[in-house]
Amino acid sequence: MGVGIYLKSGVNSKGKSSLFIKATKGQKVFKMGLGISVLPNHWSRRNSRINGSADNAIILNREIEKIEANIKTSWSYFEAGSYSWNEFTAALRGGEDGNSQKTLLAFVDTVIKQRHVNISSFNTYLGVCKALLKEVEKKDIFLKELTNELIDSCVFRWKQRLSPSSVRTYILHLKKIKDLAYDKGLITEPFKRRDEWKVKKNSSIKIIETVKSEDFKEAIERIGDIYDLQAMYFYLLMFCLRGFYQGDIVTMHLHASNLVDVDRDGTLHLDKKEKKYIKHQRSKTGELMEVRMDLETNL
């Protein structure tokens, strides 16, 4: 059990061997080449460095030092339980400068995804990140760029055009992302909520404004063509159907009703022994609606 930098046993045509990382934990084994080749007699196994007599020894040893530092940090997080095995190996693949986990979207796609099996929950995190990236006009950012200052600038603009509940959702999920990244040592700045981010909760009582009969009558007088007339027909139909959308209307025929036949002149024939309504789920909300199918207007 452990991790370190090793030299491959074989040599290439130039007599050099490749350096690679090897990590083991129980039955799990991870190996990755470093892209560095040296003569076997130039490699010091004791201190994991290239002898000074080798070409470019100073430059290569500096690179090895960075890799080794990342190995030690990643292993300590893994041993402490902050990293899973997959997170640990992902950190080794990226190194200190190019760790793919250190981008916002990659962090969400690995760390967050592992913790939220529910696809709906994961998609919420992903949607929040994409909303932030859209706000800053970037395809992705490094985790260290997800500063409280950046979040503050986004929240300021979101409050101007989004609902309070949406803003609260964005802040909550960004907080969880920053807290998790901070706990894993991937960023140095903890999440800090600002007083200016507070948004008022909407009242549970909603006043729904609708068209009055007088407004509809005035609109009839302004009809200019067949398209205006059709629009009025559809509006009245949707209004009578308790606020159905166009999408609801076109799918109504898929549901059972007591409709028997329709004459050429449009007369409906209903089976009075059958149920007098359609049970229909609204397209957007999934709410179950019961639409009466009586011919008589006096119920």
Side-chain angles (χ1 to χ4, degrees):
M1 180 179 70
V3 61
I5 299 176
Y6 301 91
L7 188 69
K8 290 185 69 174
S9 57
V11 296
N12 59 21
S13 58
K14 297 182 180 179
K16 292 184 177 182
S17 297
S18 300
L19 294 175
F20 68 97
I21 297 174
K22 180 180 179 181
T24 59
K25 177 69 172 180
Q27 298 298 317
K28 297 177 180 178
V29 179
F30 171 81
K31 292 182 179 181
M32 185 189 74
L34 299 183
I36 299 175
S37 297
V38 298
L39 294 173
N41 62 334
H42 284 167
W43 175 249
S44 174
R45 182 179 178 182
R46 182 179 179 181
N47 57 17
S48 298
R49 292 292 184 273
I50 299 173
N51 295 336
S53 58
D55 294 337
N56 299 320
I58 295 177
I59 297 175
L60 294 176
N61 279 331
R62 285 176 180 172
E63 184 66 23
I64 292 171
E65 285 177 12
K66 291 171 60 178
I67 295 171
E68 194 173 53
N70 181 59
I71 289 173
K72 290 179 179 178
T73 301
S74 302
W75 181 257
S76 65
Y77 284 130
F78 174 65
E79 287 282 85
S82 295
Y83 275 174
S84 67
W85 176 260
N86 288 338
E87 292 168 358
F88 165 63
T89 56
L92 294 183
R93 288 190 188 95
E96 186 64 22
D97 296 323
N99 188 351
S100 62
Q101 275 196 118
K102 289 190 176 180
T103 69
L104 178 59
L105 291 182
F107 181 78
V108 171
D109 195 45
T110 53
V111 179
I112 298 296
K113 197 171 188 176
Q114 289 179 0
R115 282 162 171 74
H116 296 274
V117 180
N118 187 314
I119 188 64
S120 177
S121 178
F122 168 72
N123 285 337
T124 301
Y125 278 96
L126 188 60
V128 169
C129 291
K130 288 185 176 180
L132 181 139
L133 293 173
K134 182 178 180 181
E135 204 66 51
V136 298
E137 299 181 344
K138 291 184 178 180
K139 293 183 178 180
D140 201 356
I141 60 174
F142 289 106
L143 278 176
K144 63 183 180 181
E145 297 180 82
L146 187 63
T147 62
N148 292 321
E149 287 289 337
L150 179 70
I151 296 175
D152 180 56
S153 65
C154 292
V155 171
F156 176 78
R157 293 193 290 271
W158 286 334
K159 287 178 65 176
Q160 296 178 23
R161 66 176 191 276
L162 299 180
S163 68
S165 61
S166 295
V167 177
R168 284 195 297 271
T169 297
Y170 286 5
I171 294 174
L172 174 64
H173 286 76
L174 289 173
K175 176 185 184 303
K176 291 182 178 179
I177 291 172
K178 279 211 69 170
D179 285 346
L180 188 55
Y182 180 75
D183 290 342
K184 289 183 173 297
L186 298 175
I187 57 176
T188 57
E189 178 193 60
F191 179 87
K192 185 177 181 181
R193 188 182 296 272
R194 299 192 177 188
D195 291 337
E196 306 93 275
W197 295 355
K198 293 180 180 178
V199 289
K200 295 181 179 179
K201 292 186 178 181
N202 291 330
S203 171
S204 58
I205 302 175
K206 294 184 179 180
I207 301 176
I208 302 175
E209 296 184 0
T210 186
V211 175
K212 299 178 181 178
S213 58
E214 293 83 1
D215 298 328
F216 194 84
K217 184 177 180 181
E218 292 179 6
I220 293 175
E221 298 175 356
R222 295 196 297 271
I223 292 176
D225 52 36
I226 185 63
Y227 301 107
D228 290 343
L229 180 61
Q230 290 176 341
M232 295 292 288
Y233 279 146
F234 274 112
Y235 176 84
L236 185 59
L237 177 60
M238 287 185 287
F239 182 85
C240 293
L241 294 176
R242 298 174 65 185
F244 268 31
Y245 299 106
Q246 292 93 328
D248 294 310
I249 293 175
V250 298
T251 58
M252 283 175 59
H253 71 283
L254 300 175
H255 301 267
S257 70
N258 58 329
L259 180 63
V260 177
D261 198 7
V262 182
D263 289 343
R264 290 185 177 181
D265 62 0
T267 302
L268 298 177
H269 295 277
L270 304 179
D271 186 347
K272 294 185 179 181
K273 296 180 181 180
E274 297 294 328
K275 56 186 180 182
K276 303 285 178 61
Y277 55 84
I278 295 175
K279 282 195 172 183
H280 175 76
Q281 285 187 322
R282 295 183 66 169
S283 299
K284 289 191 176 181
T285 64
E287 182 182 359
L288 182 64
M289 309 291 286
E290 294 183 351
V291 183
R292 292 294 296 263
M293 290 293 289
D294 295 322
L295 288 175
E296 298 83 6
T297 55
N298 53 333
L299 301 179

